[in-house]
């Protein structure tokens, strides 16, 4: 059971959250301007590193907010990211 | 009447209460013991050396260990809730205990388990697992800092291995030091000590599961007292002082009763005053078994041979043993045993420098063989937490390798520090360090002086003593795992079959898969594999993965009080009591209880649903639709936001109107659907499916937060704030007219997909909309949740003379399917677009929305995708099972059969007087008019493919009939 630090509520058990996958996946600003290959990558292709990984969580059973954290996928060590608007940087 | 193997109190007092005598029954025989005994120590005291026969080979077996590592003596406890497969070493003796020996397989009771188990969730600064010398020391230094400390130990008493020996701490007996520590810990308010509590799981971020036995040792238990408790502990620092397990050695006939672990013999001797044999051969690879030999000699047993693999054991130990009357055989090994129901003698020979057998074997008579093959640090919890291990050649064991703040700190024997002074020093330091890391600054206290314990000299490890004659493939009486009856021959067969990894060998041979999870066999198996593969050390073979639980946990404990009606929270609508009184059958939709149908006396589901459908199509009927998800979407950008997430346009929707919309994922697949109303220029009320509400809300929030943060929009779940009644059928207008006298209910005054705010005749404020999920004239009356029951009863009263009929979800499903309305999640499965469903007119061409781009993807744009169609079985009464596949009529039914699609919804229709179905079929729209086959239950049913609307395709019934 991970201990996840919600930037709004503090540290809470993983059971209160839902995972949202990789953060900072850029959505093409004009979906119609990209070809099928680029659009397919946006839809389906995600990184899968061993080590630090930026990811989204939502505090479903708490404040209901989405936020980003950096998690080491090998050790599960987590560190906060600035409460973010994660799509575009 | 004393037990034959119980030592006199003047020789060994033991930690038992001789003033009380406990009666117990084992395999039908009445036997006796004392408080402080385990079932195992009492059996040994009573001379029960053989306690079972082995599971596959039927060989006699005896008690081997004194702790949870016991591989043989598994027992079944009788009683109100019989418990199978408990190691006798872990069963505390109580008066009236009834136990039965097991040959590897137990049985569960045939009555429900009435025992109460519960759970506690706690937070602690420092959790210490194990209360031997290092764990107790850590608890003392951490506790003194003021930090919140949680100390757990699986034994009945604190002290660990100190209870088995004669060490001295601070100038007094170690037991005095323990007693002082126990008193001190009891007085520190922030320290909590649990005994009989096993840490079974150690998870990410310092989360532990601890299973505490609270009543097993008591003669009587109160009616509501929980028998076991599962502690969920979130720590800030974890210190593991879990000790070490002694290993046996693998040699021929190493499984006879009377062959025990050396430290277990010493434990029975000193803790329970039990002498398991009179003439003992001690076989060791290191120093620790010398203490066993000395204690045996001290109580009058003989030690005709102390067989030490090391050619030059420490001289002072040899001298002590020989001065007490024992004989040391250095550089030697036991190669086999004789005897049947118990060991009668050991064959001994010399080992040369390479570890090969040499010299002339000779026999030594004995009735006890005490073996020490070395010590394996208990690193299970460390491994579970993600720590990695390395082979320590000097200590001959796997020890923790990695460290870091994300991993527990391991101290004492668990990291192969076996001497007392070292263990105390590590404990005191680790406790202080952990407390300081939690903000409770404290320096490690002085390490008290110790005596009676020696630093260990180097062991000469030995896993496997070769057989004298046959090749290893035939060593089928060299037991590696006693509980699984698995031998060296089994390991060689696995290697011969190509296995190399220890994980594979263990699965192939079943080694370490018993109730004990290989606590005595694991490292030896690795040693035997290393020998077979001719690699240098067990470290090159590696270990298996340590997975929770460390020890078996009852399912009833994991369930705790969350059984029966407490298993899961239940959501009910405000009309629930009415439905129950009306005899409704309910179905679960997520956590909601929703009426499925309302059977009248003598009706089955089919009959009830047919009657309810007829009422809705020909008269008037009512349904509780409160469970639908509702989300209020508010803000100056709410119109723009809804336009972006829904397939149809909402910005241009007028206030006071409602519209059906679908939501797609970015991949263009249908996510959810529902009707949204525009309450004000900046305010919408979106409805979702009952099961999809929570997910849709998260979905909306994700887009607002991560992609469109510039939008001024707020979403609020209001599902629980509303109750709603659907009034459906050609007579529904009459009922609503009576119910809401101020409302113009004519089709001219109140159009389809409009809503009105009004007051019911009884003063209840209501929002009434004209939406229909059945194709009939229908109204939906929404009121505040607390008016739900009153409103429902008012509707029932207003419709009484029209025979208004309550109906459930099953009827709703039939009615909507007759109209070809889909249910997301039933007729769709995450691979279906709105276009596949034929909902092109709901997909706006004028605006972009989530998923629209994906409709143009090559695969999504195919014209032969699976599409929603209707099916009519050629036999009108034949009901297709949902999920059944559809194939071409002439296709041979031999795998692989080319499948065209499957049935998603299938019902009997009162209106059509026949069965019908919806299905997703490849290139379905082009197949309309074709006949396909649905093979099921051994035959094939012919079906005609149709358009998916079966009833009132022109929509004539939507506005009903005007009645003045
Ligand atoms: Zn939160």
């Amino acid at each position: 059971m991970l201990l996840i630090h919600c930037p709004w509520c503090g540290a809470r058990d993983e059971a209160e959250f839902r995972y949202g996958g990789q953060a900072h996946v850029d959505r093409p600003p004009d979906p119609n301007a990209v070809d099928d290959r680029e659009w397919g990558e946006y839809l389906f292709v995600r990184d899968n590193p061993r080590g630090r990984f930026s990811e989204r969580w939502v505090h479903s059973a708490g404040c209901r907010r989405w936020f980003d954290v950096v998690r080491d996928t090998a050790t599960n060590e987590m560190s906060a990211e600035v409460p973010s608007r994660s799509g575009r940087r | 009447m004393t037990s034959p193997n119980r030592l006199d109190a003047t020789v060994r007092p033991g930690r038992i209460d001789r003033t009380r005598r406990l009666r117990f029954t084992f395999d039908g025989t009445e036997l006796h013991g004392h408080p402080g005994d385990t079932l195992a120590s009492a059996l040994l005291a009573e001379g029960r050396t053989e306690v079972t026969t082995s599971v596959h080979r039927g060989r006699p077996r005896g008690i081997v260990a004194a702790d949870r590592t016991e591989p043989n003596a598994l027992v079944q406890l009788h009683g109100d809730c019989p418990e199978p497969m408990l190691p006798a070493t872990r069963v505390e003796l109580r008066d009236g205990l009834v136990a039965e020996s097991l040959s590897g397989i137990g049985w569960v009771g045939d009555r429900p388990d009435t025992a109460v188990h519960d759970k506690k969730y706690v937070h602690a600064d420092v959790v210490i697992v194990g209360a031997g010398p290092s764990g107790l020391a850590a608890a003392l230094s951490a506790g003194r800092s003021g930090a919140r400390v949680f100390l757990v130990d699986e034994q009945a008493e604190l002290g660990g291995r100190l209870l088995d020996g004669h060490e001295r701490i601070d100038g007094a007996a170690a037991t005095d030091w323990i007693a002082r520590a126990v008193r001190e810990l009891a007085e520190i308010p922030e320290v909590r000590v649990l005994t009989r509590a096993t840490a079974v799981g150690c998870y990410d971020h310092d989360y532990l599961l601890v299973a505490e036995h609270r009543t097993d040792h008591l003669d009587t238990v109160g009616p509501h007292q929980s028998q076991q408790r599962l502690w969920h502990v979130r720590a800030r620092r974890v210190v593991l002082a879990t000790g070490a397990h002694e290993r046996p050695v693998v040699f021929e006939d190493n499984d006879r009763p009377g062959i025990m672990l050396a430290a277990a013999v010493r434990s029975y001797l000193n803790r329970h005053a039990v002498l398991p044999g009179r003439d003992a051969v001690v076989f060791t690879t290191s120093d620790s078994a010398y203490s066993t030999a000395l204690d045996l000699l001290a109580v009058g047993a003989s030690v005709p041979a102390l067989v030490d693999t090391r050619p030059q054991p420490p001289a002072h130990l040899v001298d002590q043993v020989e001065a007490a009357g024992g004989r040391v055989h250095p550089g030697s090994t036991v190669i086999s045993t004789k005897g049947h129901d118990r060991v009668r003698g050991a064959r001994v020979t010399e080992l040369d420098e390479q570890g090969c057998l040499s010299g002339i074997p000779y026999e030594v008579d004995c009735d006890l063989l005490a073996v020490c093959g070395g010590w394996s640090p208990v690193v299970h919890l460390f491994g579970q937490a993600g720590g990695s291990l390395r082979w320590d050649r000097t200590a001959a064991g796997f020890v923790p390798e990695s460290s870091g703040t994300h991993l527990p700190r391991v101290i004492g024997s668990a990291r192969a520090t076996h001497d007392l002074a070292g263990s105390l020093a590590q404990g005191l330091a680790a406790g202080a360090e952990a407390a300081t890391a939690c903000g409770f600054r404290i320096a490690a206290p002085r390490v008290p002086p110790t005596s009676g314990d020696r630093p260990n000299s180097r062991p000469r490890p030995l896993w496997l003593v070769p057989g004298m004659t046959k090749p290893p493939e035939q060593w089928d009486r060299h037991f590696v795992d006693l509980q699984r009856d698995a031998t060296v021959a089994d390991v060689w067969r696995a290697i011969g079959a190509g296995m190399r990894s220890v994980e594979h060998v263990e699965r192939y041979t079943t080694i370490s898969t018993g109730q004990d999870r290989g606590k005595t066999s694991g490292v030896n198996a690795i040693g035997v594999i290393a020998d077979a593969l001719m690699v240098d050390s067990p470290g090159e073979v590696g270990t298996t993965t340590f997975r929770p639980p460390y020890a078996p946990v009852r399912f009833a404990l994991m369930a705790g009080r969350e059984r029966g009606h407490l298993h899961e929270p239940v959501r009910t609508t405000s009309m629930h009591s009415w439905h129950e009184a009306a005899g409704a059958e309910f179905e679960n939709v997520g956590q909601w209880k929703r009426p499925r149908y309302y059977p009248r006396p003598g009706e089955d589901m089919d009959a009830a649903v047919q009657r309810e459908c007829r009422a809705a199509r020909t008269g008037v009927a009512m349904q509780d639709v409160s469970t639908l998800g509702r989300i209020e979407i508010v803000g100056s950008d709410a119109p723009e936001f809804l336009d972006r997430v829904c397939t149809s346009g909402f910005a241009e929707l007028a206030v006071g109107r409602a519209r059906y919309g679908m939501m797609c994922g970015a991949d263009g697949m249908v996510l959810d659907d529902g009707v949204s109303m525009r309450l004000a220029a900046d305010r919408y009320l979106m409805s979702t499916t009952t099961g999809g509400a929570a997910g849709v809300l998260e979905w909306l929030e994700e887009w607002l937060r991560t992609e469109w943060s510039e939008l001024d929009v707020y979403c609020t779940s209001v599902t629980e704030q509303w109750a709603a009644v659907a009034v459906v059928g050609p007579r529904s207008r009459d009922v609503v007219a009576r119910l809401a006298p101020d409302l113009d209910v004519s089709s001219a005054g109140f159009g389809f997909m409009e809503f009105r705010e009004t007051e019911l005749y009884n003063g209840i404020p209501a929002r009434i909309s004209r939406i229909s999920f059945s194709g009939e004239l229908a109204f939906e009356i929404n009121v505040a949740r607390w008016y739900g029951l009153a409103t429902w009863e008012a509707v029932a009263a207003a419709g009484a003379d029209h025979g208004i009929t309550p109906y459930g979800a099953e009827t709703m499903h039939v009615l909507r399917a007759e109209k070809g309305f889909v249910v997301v999640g039933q007729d769709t499965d995450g691979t279906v677009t709105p276009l596949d469903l034929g909902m092109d007119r709901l997909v706006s061409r004028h605006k972009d929305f989530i998923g629209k781009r994906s409709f143009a993807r090559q695969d999504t744009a195919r014209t032969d995708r699976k599409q929603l169609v209707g099916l009519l079985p050629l036999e009108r009464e034949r009901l297709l099972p949902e999920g059944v596949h559809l194939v071409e009529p002439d296709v041979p039914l031999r795998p692989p059969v080319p499948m065209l699609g499957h049935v998603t919804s299938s019902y009997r229709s009162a209106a059509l007087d026949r069965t019908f179905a919806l299905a997703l079929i490849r290139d379905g729209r082009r197949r309309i008019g074709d006949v396909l086959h649905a093979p099921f239950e051994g035959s094939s049913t012919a079906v005609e493919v149709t358009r998916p609307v079966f009833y009132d395709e022109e929509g004539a019934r939507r506005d009903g009939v005007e009645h003045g």
Side-chain angles (χ1 to χ4, degrees), chain A residues 6 8-9 59 63:
Chain A
C6 171
W8 312 100
C9 308
H59 195 184
C63 64

Side-chain angles (χ1 to χ4, degrees), chain B residues 708-768:
Chain B
W708 298 324
S709 53
E710 72 282 3
L711 294 184
D712 169 34
V713 178
Y714 300 89
C715 300
T716 309
S717 166
V718 294
T719 304
E720 300 281 353
Q721 274 63 40
W722 292 95
V725 187
V727 186
V728 176
R731 312 298 297 187
S732 59
R733 182 172 281 130
D734 300 352
V735 176
V736 175
R738 283 184 206 168
L739 204 60
D742 299 343
L743 199 63
D744 176 0
V745 294
S746 68
S747 55
F750 191 174
F752 185 60
M753 290 307 246
E754 291 180 1
F755 67 89
R756 301 281 185 271
E757 310 278 350
T758 186
E759 208 168 79
L760 304 186
Y761 74 87
N762 53 10
I764 295 175
R767 180 185 292 147
I768 300 182

Side-chain angles (χ1 to χ4, degrees), chain A residues 6-10 12 16-17 58-65 67:
Chain A
C6 171
W8 312 100
C9 308
R12 297 286 189 277
E16 295 186 15
F17 298 82
V58 59
H59 195 184
S60 314
C63 64
R64 252 179 40 209
R65 298 258 212 159
F67 58 93

Side-chain angles (χ1 to χ4, degrees), chain A residues 13 18 56 60 64 76, chain B residues 205 234 698 701-702 715:
Chain A
D13 277 352
R18 193 173 67 79
R56 286 178 185 171
S60 314
R64 252 179 40 209
N76 275 338
Chain B
H205 299 175
R234 173 74 72 184
E698 281 176 8
E701 296 277 16
E702 182 172 12
C715 300

Side-chain angles (χ1 to χ4, degrees), chain B residues 316-432:
Chain B
H316 65 282
L317 293 178
V318 175
D319 291 349
Q320 271 181 291
V321 168
E322 302 212 323
R327 246 205 86 207
V328 176
H329 299 232
S332 301
T333 179
V334 169
I335 46 176
S336 64
T337 64
K338 63 174 187 178
H340 178 66
D341 55 337
R342 81 172 296 164
V343 64
R344 298 287 171 199
R347 279 184 112 197
V348 180
T349 196
E350 283 168 24
L351 282 172
D352 67 15
E353 272 171 45
Q354 278 73 46
C356 297
L357 303 183
S358 67
I360 300 157
Y362 53 96
E363 278 182 15
V364 184
D365 288 346
C366 64
D367 61 359
L368 176 66
L369 175 51
V371 181
C372 175
W375 291 87
S376 300
V378 179
V379 289
H380 303 63
L381 296 176
F382 181 74
Q384 287 176 18
S388 57
L389 306 173
R390 72 177 165 80
W391 179 252
D392 184 325
R393 262 176 199 283
T394 315
F398 286 100
V399 297
E401 176 176 54
S402 46
S403 62
T405 53
H406 66 287
L407 286 174
R409 176 82 185 271
V410 185
I411 57 172
S413 307
R415 65 173 318 109
T417 300
H418 294 303
D419 68 291
L420 180 54
S423 291
L424 290 174
Q426 280 182 12
L428 293 168

